[in-house]
Amino acid sequence: MRNFDLAPLYRATVGFDQVADLMDRVLAGEPAQNNYPPYNIEKTDESAWRISIAVAGFGADDLSVEVRENALIVTARKAEDDTESRTFLHRGIATRAFERRFHLADHVKVTGASHLDGMLHIDLVREVPEALKPRRIEISSQKPQDANLIEEKSVN
């Protein structure tokens, strides 16, 4: 595997340390994550997404969706049932407990979650505050105002 030097990224950007750290972790070859349960991430609008997770065998009461410290955490715990009294010839529907984490970018909010036909759908949207949106600065052609500068006195 190739090693990438991200030093130029650090020199050319300010405030993107989290992105660079994420790239470092991905390129370092972290061990493969568990792929259970399968999920899709789709872009539904310019600043909106939907995460769909296959949760066959789990009811809405077995699932938990939580946002904590810019992370979306989906957990499932199947309530105790009578599987011991049943005999399965084939058991292909996995109902083992899981926890799936998704790192959310700044200003991405969860707007809702629904459980339908064995799928858990979580809708997200990016809501950038007005203070962070781009604004145009008018350029004046007049002489700049003199700042009130305090000159340092030399110590003899």
Short mmCIF file of all heavy atoms in Angstrom, two decimals, residues 11 43 57 59 61 78 83 105 107 132 141:
data_model
loop_
_atom_site.label_atom_id
_atom_site.label_comp_id
_atom_site.label_asym_id
_atom_site.label_seq_id
_atom_site.Cartn_x
_atom_site.Cartn_y
_atom_site.Cartn_z
N ARG A 11 -0.55 22.67 4.74
CA ARG A 11 0.01 23.99 4.43
C ARG A 11 -0.97 24.86 3.68
O ARG A 11 -0.92 26.08 3.77
CB ARG A 11 1.28 23.84 3.59
CG ARG A 11 2.47 23.34 4.35
CD ARG A 11 3.74 23.51 3.54
NE ARG A 11 3.68 22.88 2.24
CZ ARG A 11 4.21 21.69 1.95
NH1 ARG A 11 4.84 21.01 2.88
NH2 ARG A 11 4.12 21.19 0.75
N LYS A 43 -28.02 10.91 -1.74
CA LYS A 43 -28.17 12.35 -1.72
C LYS A 43 -29.55 12.66 -2.29
O LYS A 43 -29.84 12.33 -3.43
CB LYS A 43 -27.08 13.01 -2.56
CG LYS A 43 -27.02 14.49 -2.42
CD LYS A 43 -25.75 15.05 -3.00
CE LYS A 43 -25.72 16.52 -2.65
NZ LYS A 43 -24.39 17.04 -2.64
N GLY A 57 -36.27 -7.93 10.88
CA GLY A 57 -36.38 -8.66 12.14
C GLY A 57 -36.41 -7.77 13.37
O GLY A 57 -36.67 -8.25 14.46
N GLY A 59 -38.04 -4.47 15.37
CA GLY A 59 -39.17 -3.56 15.43
C GLY A 59 -38.70 -2.17 15.80
O GLY A 59 -37.55 -1.97 16.20
N ASP A 61 -39.34 -0.51 18.36
CA ASP A 61 -38.97 -0.46 19.78
C ASP A 61 -37.58 -1.03 20.04
O ASP A 61 -36.97 -0.74 21.07
CB ASP A 61 -39.98 -1.22 20.63
CG ASP A 61 -41.35 -0.56 20.61
OD1 ASP A 61 -41.40 0.66 20.34
OD2 ASP A 61 -42.35 -1.25 20.86
N LYS A 78 -32.35 -6.71 20.12
CA LYS A 78 -33.56 -7.50 20.00
C LYS A 78 -34.00 -7.94 21.38
O LYS A 78 -33.21 -8.46 22.16
CB LYS A 78 -33.30 -8.73 19.10
CG LYS A 78 -34.51 -9.52 18.77
CD LYS A 78 -35.41 -8.77 17.82
CE LYS A 78 -36.55 -9.67 17.40
NZ LYS A 78 -37.64 -8.94 16.82
N THR A 83 -36.91 -17.95 20.88
CA THR A 83 -36.16 -18.71 19.87
C THR A 83 -35.66 -20.04 20.40
O THR A 83 -35.41 -20.96 19.63
CB THR A 83 -34.96 -17.90 19.34
OG1 THR A 83 -34.16 -17.49 20.45
CG2 THR A 83 -35.42 -16.69 18.56
N ALA A 105 -20.79 15.91 9.35
CA ALA A 105 -20.06 17.16 9.15
C ALA A 105 -20.72 18.26 9.98
O ALA A 105 -21.84 18.12 10.46
CB ALA A 105 -20.08 17.53 7.67
N HIS A 107 -22.81 21.30 11.06
CA HIS A 107 -24.11 21.86 10.67
C HIS A 107 -25.02 20.86 9.97
O HIS A 107 -26.02 21.26 9.37
CB HIS A 107 -23.94 23.12 9.80
CG HIS A 107 -22.97 24.09 10.36
ND1 HIS A 107 -23.16 24.73 11.56
CD2 HIS A 107 -21.76 24.51 9.92
CE1 HIS A 107 -22.14 25.51 11.81
NE2 HIS A 107 -21.27 25.40 10.84
N LEU A 132 -22.45 32.20 8.92
CA LEU A 132 -21.40 31.48 8.21
C LEU A 132 -21.58 31.47 6.70
O LEU A 132 -20.71 30.99 5.98
CB LEU A 132 -21.33 30.04 8.73
CG LEU A 132 -20.96 29.90 10.20
CD1 LEU A 132 -20.95 28.44 10.59
CD2 LEU A 132 -19.60 30.54 10.48
N SER A 141 -13.44 53.12 -2.62
CA SER A 141 -12.35 53.76 -3.37
C SER A 141 -11.84 55.00 -2.63
O SER A 141 -11.05 55.76 -3.18
CB SER A 141 -12.81 54.13 -4.78
OG SER A 141 -13.89 55.03 -4.70
#
